[in-house]
Amino acid sequence: MENKNRPITTLFMLVSVDGKISTGSTDELDVDKDFPKIKGLKEGLHQYYEIEQTTDLWSFNTGRVQEKMGANKNTLPPKTPVSFVLLDNSHLDERGIKYFCAKSKEFVLMTSNKNHPAYSVNEENFHILYQEKFSLKNGLYQLKNDFGCERLTVQSGGTVNSIFLREKLIDFVDIVLAPVLIGGKDTSTLIDGKSIMSEKELASLGVLKLLECKTLSNSYIRLRYRVIS
């Protein structure tokens, strides 16, 4: 449910029909790199990126995902109107931090690492949100109250997505369903993390109300939900 003390959050992801957000279990495999090579997937993939351009002007991700995408190696990108929030303790180096400073309107790094390479970067739009003990809930509170973040699109990995779920920090879910089955018990899904083990934990599930089901071209589908409990 929406909470006035934190940003309104939307989990926005590209997933396979069986719920996978990667093509395999190693960092060499990734939907952004692999789907464009696959006939039957590449033809409709552009729709996901077009929808992504309409999402919130604050975006949440993780250093691990961005390391995988090449942030520590890529040339500096042009400035965008999007402000980025990255959760990272060890995956981004100084170059990766500067990459996001160049790309972001405002760039906020959430970390519990006092020795993060980010401390050597001095950019006007760069802010470090240090937490001695990690609390996603407190971090979101600070994003709204210290940085004016009202709405936040979440595109992190399955493990961090599970923290959003279990701590009741997801308000909306917006997924683009790609027409593919990937499989593999070790391949990341939309929500990973620790499984519930007993009936008393059923309250930690995220029950959804369908807001929109839209058929896209080339067998892609867009599903939008509100989290109701």
Side-chain angles (χ1 to χ4, degrees):
M1 297 178 66
E2 296 173 25
N3 188 315
K4 293 182 179 179
N5 291 322
R6 61 168 175 79
I8 296 170
T9 60
T10 299
L11 179 61
F12 175 71
M13 302 288 289
L14 175 66
V15 302
S16 67
V17 172
D18 56 336
K20 305 297 184 182
I21 59 173
S22 181
T23 47
S25 60
T26 67
D27 284 352
E28 287 73 33
L29 295 167
D30 183 84
V31 295
D32 292 291
K33 293 188 293 185
D34 300 335
F35 279 12
K37 305 172 185 175
I38 302 173
K39 185 177 180 181
L41 293 180
K42 62 183 179 180
E43 294 83 357
L45 183 60
H46 64 93
Q47 299 166 106
Y48 166 73
Y49 297 112
E50 290 165 2
I51 294 170
E52 186 178 43
Q53 294 300 309
T54 69
T55 57
D56 300 316
L57 290 177
W58 281 85
S59 176
F60 182 97
N61 212 304
T62 66
R64 183 181 185 277
V65 169
Q66 293 306 316
E67 179 189 35
K68 185 177 177 181
M69 295 298 296
N72 293 334
K73 301 177 182 178
N74 293 341
T75 56
L76 297 184
K79 183 73 68 179
T80 73
V82 179
S83 294
F84 288 89
V85 183
L86 292 186
L87 174 63
D88 182 62
N89 283 334
S90 60
H91 293 281
L92 292 180
D93 59 19
E94 185 175 336
R95 182 178 180 84
I97 296 296
K98 289 182 177 179
Y99 176 92
F100 271 93
C101 289
K103 184 177 183 178
S104 307
K105 180 180 179 182
E106 299 292 335
F107 175 31
V108 179
L109 177 74
M110 296 176 61
T111 186
S112 298
N113 180 5
K114 290 183 178 179
N115 299 310
H116 198 288
Y119 283 97
S120 64
V121 177
N122 184 20
E123 296 287 345
E124 188 176 348
N125 68 335
F126 179 46
H127 318 276
I128 297 177
L129 202 165
Y130 173 74
Q131 296 180 321
E132 185 172 352
K133 184 177 181 181
F134 172 66
S135 168
L136 183 57
K137 183 177 180 180
N138 289 343
L140 294 183
Y141 175 87
Q142 287 184 265
L143 284 177
K144 179 170 184 177
N145 291 277
D146 296 348
F147 301 101
C149 174
E150 296 288 341
R151 303 187 70 96
L152 179 68
T153 294
V154 178
Q155 295 180 281
S156 47
T159 300
V160 175
N161 288 348
S162 72
I163 301 173
F164 275 92
L165 171 66
R166 300 304 187 208
E167 297 189 4
K168 303 295 183 181
L169 299 173
I170 304 174
D171 299 305
F172 296 93
V173 177
D174 187 351
I175 60 176
V176 175
L177 203 63
V180 62
L181 297 170
I182 292 175
K185 66 182 179 67
D186 296 320
T187 302
S188 292
T189 68
L190 183 66
I191 307 285
D192 289 329
K194 185 180 178 182
S195 301
I196 68 169
M197 302 293 289
S198 67
E199 187 176 335
K200 66 181 180 181
E201 296 178 280
L202 289 174
S204 66
L205 303 185
V207 181
L208 310 175
K209 178 180 180 180
L210 183 66
L211 299 178
E212 180 184 33
C213 177
K214 185 175 182 180
T215 302
L216 306 177
S217 63
N218 301 101
S219 299
Y220 279 75
I221 296 173
R222 183 183 185 184
L223 298 169
R224 294 178 57 244
Y225 298 92
R226 176 193 290 270
V227 180
I228 59 175
S229 68

